[in-house]
Every structure is written in structure tokens, then in C-alpha cells.
Amino acid sequence: MRKIKVKPGTRGYDVIIGGGSLRHAGREIRRVLPQHDSRVFVITSPRVRAHWGEALEHSLRSAKLSYHVLEMNDGESAKKLVTVELLAEQMVNAGADRKSVVVALGGGVVGDSAGFLAAMFMRGIPVVQIPTTLLAQVDASIGGKTGVNLRAGKNLIGAFHQPLAVLVDPEVLRTLDEREFRSGLFEALKCGVIRDDKLFSVMESNAGNILKWDRDALASIIQAAIEVKAQVVSKDEKESGLRRILNYGHTVGHAIEAATGYSQLLHGEAVGWGMIAATEIARDVRVCSAKTAERIKAAIMAYGPLPPVTANTTEIISRLAADKKTISGSLHFVLPEKIGKVKIVSNVPNEVIYRSIGAITNHG
């Protein structure tokens, strides 16, 4: 077991990493509960429950915790207000109160939705995150961002709500399909580009072993990516400054997801394309060298294949204006300067934005 401390301005918590840790989740949940008679409400999806529900429930029973399991779909199309409303109604009907605790067992959609539910239910109850996808383990479950989508854009309704703890069990990743696995690797690679050149170099030079699910290589990547996320969100809880660097690849990535109806690309895949677009912009506005840009793009493509972007350039551009990172009408892009360092740039010429997005919509 390894613990990585997250220390945002409100309250610190641990990210607990360890193979087989799901079997001991009940013990860890009991340890962090603010009140020992709290009732646990597990939010999960039918697919995740089929694989890992019994292990979690057994651990809750062993820890003598009272619990109730609620299910939601785990596709991006389920990440909306009506889902949160239905879950809240079910919690009320099952006797939830202000002492209750939400446990999110699933990927990013479940984690974001359940976290938002916890933030809103009776004006806020605690949540524990147990991420079951690589993307959620290295990114979505850490930092307290919760929320749901609108038709206009991604995560436009949400709240910052820090968890009591995050329990990361790499063993649960063995039930992921290859596409979900690769999706998470793009987010891990993002952490290398923005803040950890060693992580980037490891992923750049060991793509073959990593894609073969090498246990040791994967464990080191997960830990390094989590450490990057923990460091950043500890210094900037609510994205007023440094935390904005975590949006590398997300400005265009979110626009791609919205333009394709959240139905064609996984989140990590859209971020992969978004990182390529941001890197193209960085090269064109001379924030980074052509050599650095090619190195980043090559590393991203090594973890492909990325599904084609079926939306056209105009459709994606139209979605950019609704992005949360648009401030006073100006788009802000996180652009790499060198491996391990990025900067936030506004007022990028329109022709450069069009050219970068055109490069990915016409790819291949």
C-alpha cells in the first residue's frame, strides 16, 4: 500500500494505492467516516457491479457497515442532471440522511456524477471515490471536481467537492477492454507533458511493455501520474491558477466530445486528439520547438490508434465558445513549452486554431 496525500485548502485526504485494496475498502471507509453510524450508499453501474460489486459489498459487511447499492449507466450520455435527480430520489426513498456517505465505484462518469450527487444532497454529504478505470484512477477521482454535462458542453454544471479518500486498486483494471485502457494512458501521458518529464520519458520509451499490461510499469505510471495530480490540486484547489495546466488537451477535447454527441470517442481519446491540436498550436505560435511538438505527437500516437474525429472543423470550433475555459470571450489554451512544462496562452489567432483542428479532423 502507498498513500499520497492531497492537501487542498479545505481538507486533506489520502489517495491509497495498492493491488487488492478493494478487498479492504470497507475497513478504509470506516476509518475515514466522520460518524461511525453513517450509512453507505454505493453508486455504481451494472457493468462494474458485475465485476467488482461483490468484493466491495463483502468488505462493507466485514467492516460492519450498513449499505445500500444504487445503479446508473456508465456511458457519457448518462452524465446529466436527470441521472443525479433519480439517484437522489432513490436515496431519499432508501432512508438517506445528512449522516449518509456516498461511495462511487466506477469510472469517470460514475465518479463525477456520484460526487456531484454527494455535493448537492442535503447541501453536501461525504463521498469516497473508488475508481475502476485507469483514466479515473490517474485523473478524474482526484481533486474534487464533480459535475454533469449539458447539450451545450461538458461539465458545465458541477461543484468542487473533495472526497474523504480515494482508493486505487490497479487489479481492477484487468477487466478493462483495450480501448478503455489506452484511453487512460493518454491522461497519464498528459501528466508527463505538463509537469513530469521523467514520466513522459518512461512512457515514450516503454510503450510496448506498457501496452502489454506490464504490472510493474503500469504501477509506476499510476503512482507518478497521481503524484502530479495531487501536487497540482493541493496548490490550487479551485482552478484559479496552477490547476489550469491540467486542462492540456481538454479545450479541444471537450469540444470534440460535444460535437460528436458524447457517443463516438472515449474521454481519453478526445483528450489525445486535443493534446495533438494543442501541440500543433504551440508549434505554430512558437511556444515550443518543432522537435518538441513532433516528440509529443509521436508519443501520443504510440498509444493509439485514436478513432477518427467524425465532426468537421466548423462543428468543433462552434463548441469551443461554450467551454468553461473561455474567459471574457477569449479562448485559453494550455500549450507545451517543453516536456514537463506548459503555459496558458490566450488570443491565439483564429487561423491557427482552424489549422490545428483541421489537422486532426483530416488525419489519416
Side-chain angles (χ1 to χ4, degrees), residues 113-326:
S113 302
F116 185 55
L117 168 66
M120 298 295 106
F121 191 81
M122 296 190 176
R123 297 189 176 89
I125 61 175
V127 62
V128 174
Q129 294 281 353
I130 307 180
T132 59
T133 64
L134 179 57
L135 189 148
Q137 289 186 354
V138 302
D139 185 67
S141 64
I142 303 162
K145 273 190 175 182
T146 72
V148 294
N149 304 331
L150 297 177
R151 283 193 297 271
K154 185 156 175 142
N155 297 327
L156 294 180
I157 302 291
F160 287 96
H161 191 57
Q162 300 294 344
L164 291 176
V166 181
L167 308 181
V168 173
D169 185 348
E171 287 188 12
V172 304
L173 302 180
R174 59 187 170 86
T175 58
L176 295 181
D177 62 32
E178 185 176 349
R179 189 177 170 192
E180 279 279 7
F181 178 59
R182 290 174 186 262
S183 178
L185 290 171
F186 296 121
E187 283 280 5
L189 188 63
K190 176 201 78 175
C191 291
V193 174
I194 67 172
R195 200 169 172 86
D196 188 340
D197 59 338
K198 291 181 180 178
L199 170 58
F200 181 89
S201 295
V202 167
M203 294 191 70
E204 179 183 41
S205 59
N206 291 283
N209 287 336
I210 293 166
L211 288 169
K212 291 177 184 176
W213 299 71
D214 181 273
R215 179 173 291 191
D216 291 339
L218 187 56
S220 67
I221 287 169
I222 291 172
Q223 180 176 318
I226 288 174
E227 286 176 343
V228 168
K229 184 74 182 279
Q231 291 166 9
V232 171
V233 301
S234 293
K235 293 180 179 179
D236 179 11
E237 181 180 9
K238 295 189 175 180
E239 205 170 70
S240 59
L242 178 65
R243 186 167 179 165
R244 294 166 67 193
I245 71 173
L246 295 169
N247 290 321
Y248 171 57
H250 286 65
T251 304
V252 173
H254 284 173
I256 292 170
E257 288 180 283
T260 55
Y262 304 103
S263 63
Q264 296 181 22
L265 284 84
L266 300 176
H267 176 64
E269 294 169 341
V271 168
W273 281 123
M275 288 193 291
I276 289 174
T279 303
E280 295 267 352
I281 291 171
R283 181 202 60 207
D284 288 354
V285 298
R286 298 185 179 180
V287 169
C288 77
S289 68
K291 182 178 180 181
T292 296
E294 289 307 312
R295 190 178 167 197
I296 293 171
K297 290 192 294 180
I300 294 168
M301 296 309 293
Y303 289 95
L306 284 167
V309 178
T310 56
N312 63 44
T313 302
T314 302
E315 289 172 325
I316 296 170
I317 291 287
S318 70
R319 298 289 184 165
L320 286 174
D323 192 271
K324 302 189 305 303
K325 294 169 284 299
T326 299

Side-chain angles (χ1 to χ4, degrees), residues 11 153 187 353:
R11 175 187 47 78
E187 283 280 5
I353 299 173

